[in-house]
Amino acid sequence: MSKDLIISVSDTEISIALLEDKQLVELNKEKRNIKFSVGDIYLGKVKKIMPGLNAAFINVGFEKDAFLHYLDLGAQFRTLHRFYTQATLNRGKMTPVSKFKPEPDIDKDGKISDVLTSGQTVIVQITKEPISTKGPRLASEVSIAGRNLVLMPFADKVSVSSKIENNDERNRLKLLIQSIKPKNYGVIVRTVAEGKKVAVLDVELKELISRWETALYSIHKDVKSPRLLLGEMNRTTTILRDILSTDFNSIIVDDEVIAGEVKSYIREIAPEKEKIVKVYKEQFPLFDHIGIGRQIKGLFGRTISFKGGSYLIIEHTEALHVVDVNSGNRSKSGNDQEANALSVNLEAAREIARQLRLRDMGGIIVIDFIDMQSNDNRQALFDKMKELMSEDRAKHNILPLSKFGLMQITRQRVRPEMAISTDEKCPVCRGEGKTASTILLTDEIERTLVSVIEKVKTRKLMLRTHPYVAAYLREGFFSEIGKINKKHGVSIKVQGMPSYHFLQYEFFDRQGNEMDMT
């Protein structure tokens, strides 16, 4: 399987697309002005205790208070809180974490009011971003993730990813970490640590400990909550940390700075692979050049077509996601209805597994497959779905088909679902039910041009429009664009964009920056 990573950078966001065999399977978009993300550690202030929910609402600086349940406090909450209290009083004279005497664990069946009080400052970590009308979800059992290891202060235990199946390797890693970790620190060994040498893991462990202790030593009595204590890496770097591996065929980036960061990271994990990182310097948008823009248009609608004329219908509700599998034209082919149903369902399972990753759908997903009578076929479909979902990094659980042909899946949700509107206004009427004469389009473009050159004071521009319109503007020796260039003393290069609707056009400078046409 070929794997490619495509990273497109703009002034407002960074888009990361993961392709497997040229098919889009993951899409992540990070707004560059958003600082609020999963993994951030805050000093929060308890706003309200909710005994009925056995939870508390915590102010961490977001517009809605965050939610902290008693079960998410962590067994070592009292130890962490006493360490924080000491830190506020003894700045610069902190007892090292490894020499700190732990407090007894909190009662797992206890009550929130026995541990927290209104107005109290606590160390918390974001585990889920705000979704819909809900604020963030918090935990006080802090973890700091690296590429190979996850550090858990005051946990004092070592566990190894269950995805490392070789028992000898599991035992090697566990004994290795136990021999190098300080007291009062717990460590989770991630799957990518398989086969790593002690020197690599030791360096990473020391870096994680340094990050945590540096943050703690910055606390003093004048530090007020809410306040960011330790920020997770930005989402782009986090995604790269989690998905970047040596089995990528190519990594294409359209920004020199981000490309440099990626090369530096690749150099650490696989120096011989550094050459797979390429910088894209063409003016044509990277996602359109690779064909990702076209795939996005076809993959984020309500109806998704797949092999042989079959299709999915995906509906979203507040409580769950519903996927309906339809055979379409396939229902008319062949005489064996059972074999036809199995074939369609297996192809649908492949597309559904892809859609779950692509849209980052979380919570409960109910899939209505085409009915099958054979128990062997139903088991084959269940096994196939488990196999396809094994590539999904999000935690998930799959139940066998019910007697009604429904499959239920739960999938971890830590951030809002990726939703991209694929609907467009009618290219003729622009959503108004009426349209101006198309012969006037060149006049409209010319009027917009005059407005643009008055604002930006430049004479070299690029006009992007639908390929048919672009061809019309460039046609002939005395082309329409040639007349406009001569009339206004400008140099306009026309570029056809397959993703634009028929009457859409935009002006850019020669560096690819969009011109304000308002």
Side-chain angles (χ1 to χ4, degrees):
M1 177 191 296
S2 68
K3 294 176 70 174
D4 304 285
L5 197 64
I6 314 299
I7 305 174
S8 179
V9 182
S10 70
D11 292 338
T12 57
E13 69 179 12
I14 298 177
S15 302
I16 302 176
L18 174 61
L19 306 182
E20 293 180 355
D21 292 332
K22 306 303 179 184
Q23 297 293 308
L24 181 65
V25 294
E26 287 189 32
L27 180 65
N28 293 277
K29 290 178 179 283
E30 179 191 13
K31 298 291 183 183
R32 304 189 79 172
N33 60 343
I34 292 179
K35 304 297 183 184
F36 205 81
S37 62
V38 170
D40 285 350
I41 301 172
Y42 280 81
L43 291 179
K45 179 168 286 188
V46 179
K47 295 289 287 185
K48 188 185 294 185
I49 303 292
M50 305 293 289
L53 298 174
N54 204 16
F57 285 100
I58 313 291
N59 178 15
V60 290
F62 193 61
E63 61 182 344
K64 289 186 178 293
D65 289 336
F67 183 80
L68 175 65
H69 194 273
Y70 181 83
L71 295 177
D72 295 322
L73 286 173
Q76 301 81 30
F77 176 79
R78 286 196 175 96
T79 304
L80 177 63
H81 188 65
R82 188 164 72 85
F83 194 92
Y84 159 73
T85 305
Q86 236 182 57
T88 61
L89 302 174
N90 302 312
R91 185 183 183 187
K93 298 179 182 179
M94 288 290 300
T95 303
V97 172
S98 58
K99 296 181 179 180
F100 193 78
K101 185 178 178 181
E103 293 284 315
D105 290 353
I106 65 172
D107 182 2
K108 64 179 181 179
D109 298 317
K111 297 180 179 180
I112 195 84
S113 55
D114 296 336
V115 183
L116 298 182
T117 57
S118 293
Q120 180 180 348
T121 296
V122 290
I123 295 177
V124 289
Q125 185 171 32
I126 298 173
T127 58
K128 285 186 181 180
E129 290 183 7
I131 296 174
S132 186
T133 59
K134 301 174 183 177
R137 182 75 181 257
L138 302 177
S140 266
E141 193 168 26
V142 173
S143 62
I144 305 160
R147 176 161 178 80
N148 300 293
L149 307 173
V150 178
L151 182 71
M152 301 185 70
F154 301 110
D156 208 13
K157 61 183 178 181
V158 176
S159 55
V160 181
S161 168
S162 59
K163 292 184 179 180
I164 299 177
E165 297 177 351
N166 186 296
N167 285 329
D168 291 339
E169 177 64 5
R170 291 175 62 85
N171 292 332
R172 182 189 78 88
L173 288 169
K174 190 166 187 176
L175 291 172
L176 187 158
I177 296 300
Q178 286 175 336
S179 69
I180 62 175
K181 82 169 187 67
K183 189 180 177 183
N184 287 338
Y185 281 110
V187 177
I188 299 172
V189 182
R190 306 183 73 176
T191 309
V192 292
E194 188 171 8
K196 292 292 192 303
K197 295 181 179 178
V198 62
V200 174
L201 300 179
D202 186 45
V203 168
E204 182 171 311
L205 180 61
K206 287 177 179 176
E207 287 176 353
L208 294 174
I209 292 173
S210 175
R211 286 185 65 203
W212 170 243
E213 295 191 346
T214 300
L216 286 179
Y217 296 159
S218 69
I219 298 173
H220 53 89
K221 63 181 179 181
D222 296 326
V223 173
K224 305 297 181 184
S225 57
R227 175 180 180 268
L228 178 65
L229 182 63
L230 179 60
E232 173 66 286
M233 296 181 292
N234 63 56
R235 188 171 171 190
T236 303
T237 311
T238 304
I239 293 167
L240 292 177
R241 179 192 67 197
D242 291 342
I243 70 175
L244 207 53
S245 62
T246 57
D247 60 350
F248 278 101
N249 296 80
S250 68
I251 301 172
I252 304 174
V253 191
D254 62 4
D255 181 85
E256 293 275 5
V257 175
I258 299 295
E261 293 177 4
V262 175
K263 281 185 178 180
S264 176
Y265 195 76
I266 285 283
R267 206 176 294 126
E268 291 180 14
I269 63 173
E272 72 281 0
K273 285 277 191 175
E274 185 181 345
K275 61 180 181 296
I276 70 173
V277 182
K278 301 180 178 67
V279 181
Y280 179 80
K281 296 182 178 179
E282 302 299 324
Q283 293 183 345
F284 200 73
L286 176 57
F287 271 26
D288 286 340
H289 175 74
I290 301 292
I292 296 172
R294 182 184 293 274
Q295 290 196 51
I296 290 173
K297 288 287 186 183
L299 292 171
F300 277 90
R302 176 176 177 267
T303 303
I304 309 298
S305 299
F306 60 96
K307 188 176 180 181
S310 304
Y311 61 95
L312 307 175
I313 295 178
I314 302 178
E315 296 282 3
H316 310 275
T317 72
E318 185 69 23
L320 48 80
H321 306 277
V322 180
V323 182
D324 184 30
V325 179
N326 291 274
S327 58
N329 297 333
R330 291 277 288 275
S331 61
K332 300 176 183 178
S333 61
N335 297 320
D336 189 341
Q337 183 178 352
E338 184 77 6
N340 188 62
L342 176 62
S343 175
V344 171
N345 284 339
L346 292 175
E347 289 295 338
R350 184 180 304 279
E351 185 59 39
I352 290 166
R354 178 187 181 192
Q355 287 288 331
L356 297 186
R357 292 173 65 187
L358 185 60
R359 302 186 188 214
D360 204 6
M361 293 163 62
I364 301 172
I365 299 104
V366 178
I367 306 166
D368 182 11
F369 284 105
I370 298 171
D371 289 339
M372 296 184 296
Q373 303 304 316
S374 166
N375 287 332
D376 289 342
N377 288 344
R378 293 159 71 93
Q379 183 64 38
L381 176 59
F382 175 58
D383 293 339
K384 185 65 174 179
M385 181 59 82
K386 288 198 295 183
E387 176 193 334
L388 293 166
M389 292 286 287
S390 65
E391 296 292 322
D392 196 335
R393 290 178 291 111
K395 293 179 182 178
H396 58 270
N397 187 34
I398 307 171
L399 297 182
L401 287 168
S402 72
K403 64 180 180 179
F404 299 116
L406 302 177
M407 180 179 288
Q408 299 170 69
I409 299 175
T410 59
R411 187 174 183 274
Q412 181 185 28
R413 176 169 62 181
V414 297
R415 58 180 59 89
E417 177 194 344
M418 173 68 69
I420 296 177
S421 175
T422 57
D423 294 332
E424 297 179 351
K425 290 182 180 179
C426 170
V428 179
C429 70
R430 298 181 181 177
E432 296 177 356
K434 297 179 181 179
T435 182
S437 173
T438 53
I439 201 171
L440 300 178
L441 178 61
T442 54
D443 294 341
E444 183 184 331
I445 291 174
E446 189 173 352
R447 286 195 300 271
T448 305
L449 169 65
V450 172
S451 174
V452 167
I453 59 179
E454 285 178 354
K455 286 184 177 181
V456 299
K457 308 299 182 185
T458 183
R459 296 287 166 175
K460 291 185 177 181
L461 296 168
M462 179 183 295
L463 172 64
R464 289 178 178 164
T465 185
H466 189 277
Y468 288 168
V469 177
Y472 167 73
L473 292 172
R474 292 191 297 245
E475 182 67 28
F477 184 76
F478 296 106
S479 63
E480 290 294 324
I481 200 65
K483 294 174 185 176
I484 292 173
N485 283 340
K486 185 175 180 181
K487 180 178 178 181
H488 296 282
V490 294
S491 175
I492 300 176
K493 182 179 178 182
V494 181
Q495 192 175 55
M497 302 290 291
S499 60
Y500 281 25
H501 65 64
F502 195 68
L503 299 181
Q504 182 180 355
Y505 65 90
E506 291 170 342
F507 282 101
F508 294 77
D509 63 22
R510 291 298 173 87
Q511 285 72 48
N513 300 310
E514 186 176 354
M515 299 288 95
D516 184 8
M517 297 191 292
T518 58

